[in-house]
Amino acid sequence: MRSLKWRSVAAAALALASAAATVLVATPASADAALRVHAQARGKFIGTALATSPLANETAYRNIAQSEFNQVTAENAMKWSDTEPNDNQYTFSGADQIVNFATANNQQVHGHTLVWHSQTPGWVQNLSATNMRTAMNDHIATVVGRYASNPTVVSWDVVNEVFEENGSFRSSFWYNTLGSSFIADAFRAARAADPDARLCINDYNVEGINAKSTAMYNLVSQLRSQNVPVDCVGFQSHLSTQYGFPNDLQQNLQRFANLGVQVRITELDVRIQGSRTSAKDATQATYYRNVVNACLAVTACAGVTIWGFTDKYSWVPDTFPGEGFALLYDNNYSQKPSYTAVHDALDDGTNPTDTTPPTTPGAPTASGITSSGASLSWTASTDSGGSGLAGYNVYNSSGTQIATSTTNSATLSGLSASTAYTVYVRARDGAGNLSSNSTSTTFTTTGGSSDTTAPTTPGTPAASSITSSGATLSWTASTDSGGSGLAGYNVYNSGGTQIATSTTNSATLTGLSASTAYTVYVRARDGAGNLSSNSASVTFTTTGGSTGGCTVAATLQTQWGGGYVVQPVTVTNGSSARTSWAITFTLPSGHTIVGSWNAVLTVSGNTVTARNAAYNGNLGSGASTTFGFQVARPSSDTSTASGYTCA
Ligand code: G2I
């Protein structure tokens, strides 16, 4: 399963590199093709961090971003402060803007970053251990889950900058509240949310072999030996010409690669002090060349992401007054010697030299127009550059790619009724060169019969299987007569926040708090997005989950047809310190434990007893720890373990 998304990355990288020419200034003689064309020929990505505001507002910024790079990282838009500024209030406008841009330009996205001490809202930093862990798991599940089925988003920085310079764990609110266990928990939560994404740990000042990079090495090695899903290590590489170049970079990348992880340069920039001189530019260019060469020399190095591309929007001057000029383009989008250095390092002279785009295709003709689709066909292009005609891209009037085709026709679907669409096409050759835009064509979809009738109101939900952390809801189904058909249901809490969705007339709620009253209602949804009225609500109270001076709360992290993972199970001590603990819970018949971590499990009949591992039995007053387990179950069975009790 995982390899599918990774394979699609390679396919996306191979799919297309735009012709650069129009916006680039004073192209050096050797710059015969864009960076992404050469990087692709070497089997690497070349990426940039993108900021949302210039991406929305500056054509020159967009043009370079799309033509030179085949990988993108959101400089800020996917950080916690941007995606979940308040508890359970998610905003994805900036993140989606970047993902949509990347999708339109055949670029892969690296998600940055899920768990970091910086740019995380105050409400997270002040939570109790139990609530902080829940907030972290929820955040990861929601943010990673949003893009899990999107092939553009291929990897994530799961934890960022967890080390001090001396190699000890950073004394962050994460570490100070949860201990180092948050790291493994975060990776497991990310894997559960997207089994296909590559999961990275990322840091700065780890480019050379030093105390910090060795601590990183030891942690990655240890986590992998414990089957924690760490797939990749990111080396930020915020370099400065005032410090020597880390000449052991390649050796360092290789020692990590030997652990079996992918390595990548994630945030490269090279700042200089004072103003630019040709000597400083040359030193900077050497640093860039050295980094690219180190990545090229290590098979497991996937590529290099530069932390922006124009000095106009670099973070450096804000953070290091008197320093700057760290990127490949100046404030006016002119290429600097560092651009040429990166270009020439990537260009080994043997890659395709086809820089001739195909001829411009004819204007598309629309036919077979319905309320939701149309067929387009156009006069074919020819290609004389050597790599041959590969296909066509179809764009709408805002320049968003809406279809591709390998022939001179395409079928558009999913259009809105009674809407005018203006479309044009560009031909693409085997080296990724794009033709000029064809003349555009405007057509209007037919009226169709738009469904504005909401489904009937669902029955009052009934709550069952109530535990200290979850419950099952079921209700009488709705019907839909509007034509688009019943699509599913949304479940809301009393504050009107949607807390679950379901395609059937039942839903499982997880992650609830013990001994808490919950009031919930449901609404049905049809295929056109119409929502029914609210059902009547039901109130239920979760069980206490506590006896014997401790409490336990279990979270169903993920489930599939044949099994599920419960993680974290949080054991919180009462007021007297203890040296051991035991939790019992009940497995439905036919369920079997297939794995567990941070606890020793024994099974007797349907009762499972989880006792502390050698290292986590000591709990001070009010302290907590977590464990987890995985269960196999018959594929038709949707029940899960229940009745968690502190024994
Ligand atoms: O600090 C450089 C990088 C180190 N590694 C992690 C990266 O995520 C980090 O990136 C920088 C961004 O380049 C800055 O753009 O992270 C900074 C935050 O720690 C970003 O700065 C923030 C400012 O602090 C905010 O005031 C501002 O609202 O950028 C925000 C958006 O412009």
Side-chain angles (χ1 to χ4, degrees):
M1 188 61 171
R2 176 170 342 143
S3 61
L4 282 179
K5 196 160 184 176
W6 294 0
R7 232 186 346 263
S8 71
V9 177
L14 283 169
L16 156 62
S18 303
T22 49
V23 292
L24 302 184
V25 195
T27 307
S30 59
D32 54 4
L35 302 180
R36 62 185 288 173
V37 173
H38 294 297
Q40 179 187 313
R42 305 294 291 273
K44 308 286 179 185
F45 67 72
I46 185 77
T48 184
L50 289 182
T52 51
S53 165
L55 192 65
N57 298 319
E58 283 190 47
T59 307
Y61 186 93
R62 271 196 300 277
N63 284 343
I64 295 176
Q66 72 187 40
S67 59
E68 291 290 340
F69 302 99
N70 56 11
Q71 186 275 340
V72 157
T73 302
E75 185 171 358
N76 289 298
M78 290 185 171
K79 291 173 180 174
W80 195 313
S81 51
D82 286 58
T83 52
E84 194 189 5
N86 299 301
D87 192 2
N88 213 25
Q89 281 179 17
Y90 289 91
T91 57
F92 289 107
S93 50
D96 284 354
Q97 180 196 348
I98 286 179
V99 172
N100 292 341
F101 178 84
T103 302
N105 294 296
N106 291 290
Q107 297 165 316
Q108 51 168 287
V109 168
H110 176 65
H112 172 82
T113 177
L114 297 169
V115 181
W116 190 24
H117 62 276
S118 180
Q119 281 183 287
T120 305
W123 70 265
V124 183
Q125 304 189 27
N126 298 322
L127 294 172
S128 68
T130 301
N131 293 343
M132 190 182 290
R133 198 177 283 108
T134 301
M136 183 185 84
N137 285 323
D138 288 352
H139 182 79
I140 292 172
T142 304
V143 177
V144 176
R146 180 177 183 84
Y147 302 105
S149 59
N150 185 330
T152 298
V153 181
V154 300
S155 51
W156 284 96
D157 284 330
V158 177
V159 299
N160 194 35
E161 302 174 2
V162 300
F163 290 110
E164 307 278 8
E165 298 303 294
N166 68 5
S168 60
F169 282 116
R170 179 187 290 272
S171 158
S172 67
F173 68 88
W174 292 114
Y175 180 79
N176 294 339
T177 310
L178 297 173
S180 63
S181 67
F182 81 89
I183 299 172
D185 287 350
F187 275 96
R188 290 196 173 101
R191 177 67 97 229
D194 182 356
D196 297 341
R198 201 181 286 272
L199 305 181
C200 307
I201 182 169
N202 188 48
D203 217 321
Y204 60 89
N205 288 350
V206 292
E207 293 74 38
I209 295 180
N210 55 36
K212 194 174 185 181
S213 67
T214 299
M216 172 83 98
Y217 178 88
N218 290 335
L219 176 66
V220 171
S221 171
Q222 181 199 353
L223 290 173
R224 286 173 61 84
S225 74
Q226 296 167 348
N227 291 323
V228 177
V230 182
D231 306 314
C232 141
V233 177
F235 302 79
Q236 293 184 10
S237 309
H238 292 292
L239 305 180
S240 168
T241 58
Q242 72 181 295
Y243 307 118
F245 185 81
N247 287 313
D248 47 3
L249 172 60
Q250 181 186 327
Q251 186 191 345
N252 191 38
L253 294 178
Q254 189 62 56
R255 75 169 168 156
F256 280 89
N258 293 345
L259 291 174
V261 288
Q262 182 194 75
V263 295
R264 52 205 287 148
I265 306 296
T266 49
E267 304 180 15
L268 175 62
D269 51 19
V270 184
R271 58 189 188 270
I272 64 175
Q273 292 178 290
S275 38
R276 280 175 72 191
T277 63
S278 49
K280 290 184 201 173
D281 275 5
T283 305
Q284 181 188 63
T286 303
Y287 278 49
Y288 270 105
R289 179 183 305 113
N290 289 348
V291 172
V292 173
N293 281 336
C295 182
L296 287 168
V298 175
T299 306
C301 183
V304 175
T305 307
I306 302 168
W307 206 237
F309 56 89
T310 167
D311 290 341
K312 188 174 179 182
Y313 297 117
S314 168
W315 69 291
V316 169
D318 290 341
T319 306
F320 299 100
E323 298 182 57
F325 307 108
L327 296 169
L328 305 188
Y329 292 78
D330 70 13
N331 288 336
N332 301 314
Y333 297 107
S334 291
Q335 294 171 353
K336 296 160 59 182
S338 290
Y339 173 91
T340 312
V342 171
H343 175 278
D344 291 358
L346 291 171
D347 181 1
D348 65 356
T350 62
N351 51 13
T353 53
D354 175 5
T355 58
T356 307
T359 60
T360 308
T365 309
S367 62
I369 301 169
T370 67
S371 61
S372 64
S375 298
L376 299 176
S377 62
W378 53 86
T379 304
S381 299
T382 57
D383 185 63
S384 61
S387 62
L389 194 68
Y392 299 85
N393 301 339
V394 182
Y395 302 85
N396 66 16
S397 56
S398 52
T400 302
Q401 185 178 308
I402 55 171
T404 62
S405 173
T406 55
T407 69
N408 59 326
S409 66
T411 304
L412 305 180
S413 58
L415 306 181
S416 305
S418 304
T419 304
Y421 286 89
T422 299
V423 297
Y424 62 90
V425 292
R426 299 177 75 176
R428 182 172 20 95
D429 70 16
N433 298 298
L434 286 179
S435 74
S436 299
N437 300 347
S438 75
T439 301
S440 61
T441 301
T442 301
F443 64 89
T444 302
T445 48
T446 60
S449 57
S450 55
D451 175 4
T452 56
T453 306
T456 61
T457 307
T460 311
S464 61
S465 303
I466 300 168
T467 67
S468 60
S469 64
T472 301
L473 300 176
S474 61
W475 54 85
T476 303
S478 297
T479 56
D480 184 64
S481 61
S484 62
L486 195 67
Y489 299 85
N490 301 340
V491 183
Y492 302 86
N493 65 17
S494 55
T497 301
Q498 185 179 309
I499 55 172
T501 62
S502 174
T503 55
T504 69
N505 59 326
S506 66
T508 305
L509 304 180
T510 59
L512 306 182
S513 303
S515 306
T516 304
Y518 285 88
T519 300
V520 297
Y521 62 89
V522 291
R523 300 178 74 177
R525 188 173 13 93
D526 71 16
N530 299 301
L531 287 178
S532 74
S533 301
N534 301 348
S535 75
S537 60
V538 65
T539 300
F540 63 91
T541 302
T542 47
T543 60
S546 112
T547 58
C550 74
T551 56
V552 55
T555 305
L556 179 65
Q557 186 181 54
T558 185
Q559 60 177 322
W560 56 95
Y564 52 97
V565 172
V566 181
Q567 140 86 15
V569 184
T570 303
V571 183
T572 304
N573 192 20
S575 52
S576 325
R578 61 172 66 236
T579 58
S580 66
W581 47 264
I583 304 299
T584 59
F585 56 91
T586 306
L587 283 181
S589 349
H591 291 212
T592 50
I593 301 276
V594 294
S596 64
W597 47 94
N598 297 341
V600 179
L601 271 52
T602 51
V603 184
S604 166
N606 285 351
T607 301
V608 182
T609 303
R611 296 180 192 284
N612 58 275
Y615 49 84
N616 63 1
N618 283 318
L619 291 180
S621 167
S624 62
T625 189
T626 65
F627 70 93
F629 58 93
Q630 182 171 330
V631 179
R633 67 182 172 195
S635 57
S636 56
D637 186 351
T638 55
S639 65
T640 56
S642 61
Y644 296 87
T645 308
C646 241

